Amino acid sequence: MPPRGQRVQQTIEQLRGRVLGGEWPVGGRIPTEPQLVTALGVGRNTVREAVRALVHAGVLECRQGSGTYVVSTDELAPVVARRLTDDRMAEVVEVRRAFEVEAARLAALRRTPEDLVALDGALAAREAAWRSGRVGEFVEADVALHTAVVAAAHNAMLAELYASVGAALRSTVAQATGDTLEPQRYVDHGRLVAAIRDGDPGRAAIEAGAFLEPPSGA
């Protein structure tokens, strides 16, 4: 029989696998402790420690009298969210810049015809959201465009890390946008999409970084 620590780690991986595989969707309740003991073939204490570890990681949440629920498939996102405070926004923008400049450069090298269609659609939606005057709609549309650029980079690890800072990303966009959509705050992203379409990685990187200068930028 493997050592206790190894059994706990194996159980954590089994639980995590069921979450990531979709067997236990976000918002759903996982089986009870006795059911997990039977299904996984390990002791109660091992199950308890494994569940506790995933609760601490932000994947699961214990609700008194109700059970344990899946609250996230991403262990990094809750960590980022806990560290997200107004006085750290400059750091968040620097992280965005690190991700988005490289993503734009790679996107210019790797974009497919399908990526260009997605980018054009996201850009058009962003422009329409700005014209609507609705701040929340614009923030979501802006985030969607940046996410489309990252997707066009075709780097799975970069995409996963970028998704983990989603809440922080929205916060920086919202902060840069303000409570109302003022003309002086408008930032044209058409040149960024054009650089990616033209396959110009240097220009794409410059365009991606131009509007991400702390303390503001979207």
Side-chain angles (χ1 to χ4, degrees):
M1 179 178 293
R4 179 176 179 75
Q6 186 177 337
R7 292 200 306 274
V8 171
Q9 187 57 45
Q10 289 172 344
T11 303
I12 291 171
E13 292 304 322
Q14 286 180 286
L15 299 180
R16 184 185 287 119
R18 297 192 182 198
V19 171
L20 296 178
E23 182 178 343
W24 299 340
V26 173
R29 185 173 61 185
I30 72 170
T32 63
E33 186 177 284
Q35 289 172 328
L36 290 175
V37 167
T38 300
L40 303 176
V42 294
R44 280 179 177 270
N45 287 339
T46 299
V47 167
R48 198 167 294 153
E49 288 185 37
V51 168
R52 188 181 301 123
L54 291 179
V55 167
H56 181 72
V59 174
L60 301 178
E61 179 182 81
C62 292
R63 300 176 186 172
Q64 190 66 33
S66 179
T68 302
Y69 290 78
V70 179
V71 293
S72 175
T73 59
D74 187 341
E75 295 179 41
L76 183 56
V79 175
V80 174
R82 286 196 295 269
R83 295 173 67 86
L84 180 59
T85 56
D86 289 342
D87 61 348
R88 304 192 71 166
M89 276 300 159
E91 293 182 9
V92 174
V93 172
E94 289 173 356
V95 171
R96 277 191 63 190
R97 183 183 175 90
F99 283 152
E100 293 182 19
V101 169
E102 180 62 9
R105 188 187 73 80
L106 291 175
L109 295 171
R110 301 174 178 175
R111 83 284 185 276
T112 65
E114 292 78 15
D115 292 326
L116 293 177
V117 170
L119 286 167
D120 285 339
L123 180 62
R126 182 181 185 270
E127 296 300 307
W130 178 270
R131 290 192 298 271
S132 77
R134 292 186 287 272
V135 174
E137 184 178 326
F138 174 75
V139 169
E140 290 303 317
D142 189 76
V143 170
L145 175 57
H146 291 297
T147 302
V149 172
V150 174
H154 294 279
N155 182 310
M157 183 173 291
L158 175 60
E160 290 173 10
L161 289 171
Y162 191 73
S164 297
V165 299
L169 170 59
R170 283 171 176 80
S171 294
T172 59
V173 174
Q175 186 179 76
T177 302
D179 296 329
T180 58
L181 299 181
E182 302 291 341
Q184 65 270 23
R185 289 179 177 267
Y186 175 76
V187 179
D188 178 21
H189 285 2
R191 292 191 298 272
L192 169 60
V193 173
I196 293 172
R197 176 182 290 103
D198 293 344
D200 188 333
R203 198 167 98 240
I206 290 171
E207 290 295 340
F211 47 84
L212 286 171
E213 295 292 344
S216 63

